Amino acid sequence: AQKVTQAQTEISVVEKEDVTLDCVYETRDTTYYLFWYKQPPSGELVFLIRRNSFDEQNEISGRYSWNFQKSTSSFNFTITASQVVDSAVYFCALSSWQGAQKLVFGQGTRLTINP
Amino acid sequence: EAQVTQNPRYLITVTGKKLTVTCSQNMNHEYMSWYRQDPGLGLRQIYYSMNVEVTDKGDVPEGYKVSRKEKRNFPLILESPSPNQTSLYFCASSLSSGRRTDTQYFGPGTRLTVL
């Protein structure tokens, strides 16, 4: 069975600090996808990134970066120089390579950036 | 604008009164899915559809029905709602199904309260 664990339920930092959100996953599949979604206070789910299991290259997009380590089954998300607008609930999710495409979500991490 | 729409956005109803939450996408996506979000549990898949007239159960299908008569629409039906179906519901769609996993894009959510 697939499982995603986001051990950090809530994180609170002061603006401009760097913050890392942890994601650990379990799967028996040899190929799979990992995702991060953002849920701002308005409630919608915003797609941030998708990563293939065979591509362990880290990715950077502006202030956002993702560190995928297959050896530790982790896909961590770092926000550099955080801003108040980054305040949201962040979800990590896992999906098989093909087939039912069910997204298995972690419990989410509520990130609060204080001014 | 490419989007997934859901209606209604908010609904308060009473136990046993049948209701339908509509979902529509304008991206010609093959795959559509319903999730529910509950505190501490993340999102869990209710039903999914790989294409027109093809639907299947997700992890928490009890008490729900779906249909996929047209590619763009995927309504969620609660024949006899109960208070434990009070939740935030999301519809999602992705381009392809079966051959590979594509990114799922989510609607704005429907907050349902069953009294």
Side-chain angles (χ1 to χ4, degrees):
Chain A
Q2 297 180 321
K3 184 179 179 181
V4 175
T5 301
Q6 295 178 254
Q8 303 151 309
T9 306
E10 293 192 31
I11 299 175
S12 182
V13 301
V14 177
E15 199 172 18
K16 297 182 183 171
E17 285 186 18
D18 299 347
V19 57
T20 295
L21 309 182
D22 297 333
C23 173
V24 174
Y25 62 92
E26 297 174 28
T27 181
R28 292 180 185 164
D29 294 340
T30 53
T31 51
Y32 47 89
Y33 281 101
L34 293 162
F35 301 80
W36 276 93
Y37 286 86
K38 174 182 180 180
Q39 187 175 43
S42 50
E44 73 272 22
L45 279 165
V46 179
F47 165 73
L48 294 178
I49 189 171
R50 180 179 78 169
R51 173 62 76 203
N52 303 324
S53 57
F54 47 82
D55 180 3
E56 289 192 67
Q57 225 176 6
N58 291 330
E59 181 151 343
I60 298 174
S61 176
R63 295 183 297 105
Y64 295 173
S65 62
W66 291 269
N67 181 6
F68 176 32
Q69 293 201 335
K70 217 167 176 177
S71 60
T72 57
S73 297
S74 65
F75 186 44
N76 296 337
F77 173 31
T78 297
I79 302 175
T80 303
S82 60
Q83 301 176 1
V84 172
V85 292
D86 296 325
S87 295
V89 179
Y90 290 87
F91 290 99
C92 180
L94 167 70
S95 178
S96 296
W97 171 249
Q98 59 183 345
Q101 293 193 51
K102 178 179 67 178
L103 282 170
V104 176
F105 284 84
Q107 304 93 318
T109 297
R110 181 177 299 278
L111 176 64
T112 302
I113 310 297
N114 299 300
Chain B
E1 179 190 354
Q3 59 183 348
V4 180
T5 57
Q6 295 178 227
N7 281 293
R9 295 288 313 281
Y10 302 91
L11 179 60
I12 300 175
T13 189
V14 295
T15 298
K17 187 176 181 181
K18 180 180 179 179
L19 67 92
T20 299
V21 183
T22 64
C23 173
S24 183
Q25 49 90 8
N26 62 359
M27 297 170 280
N28 201 36
H29 283 175
E30 288 184 351
Y31 181 92
M32 297 186 75
S33 182
W34 278 101
Y35 294 83
R36 61 177 287 174
Q37 181 182 357
D38 301 291
L41 298 177
L43 285 82
R44 294 175 293 168
Q45 190 181 58
I46 303 171
Y47 268 96
Y48 66 95
S49 170
M50 303 281 253
N51 214 325
V52 175
E53 301 292 1
V54 180
T55 64
D56 209 344
K57 296 177 180 179
D59 290 330
V60 288
E62 294 77 21
Y64 304 95
K65 284 175 58 177
V66 293
S67 68
R68 188 93 181 271
K69 293 184 172 58
E70 307 166 280
K71 199 171 187 179
R72 64 182 291 126
N73 296 323
F74 190 44
L76 179 70
I77 303 157
L78 285 73
E79 294 268 2
S80 183
S82 61
N84 64 12
Q85 292 178 297
T86 293
S87 187
L88 179 58
Y89 291 86
F90 286 98
C91 180
S93 73
S94 72
L95 182 60
S96 69
S97 60
R99 296 182 300 279
R100 69 172 191 275
T101 292
D102 280 317
T103 299
Q104 290 184 41
Y105 295 94
F106 287 79
T110 295
R111 187 165 293 280
L112 172 66
T113 301
V114 183
L115 302 175

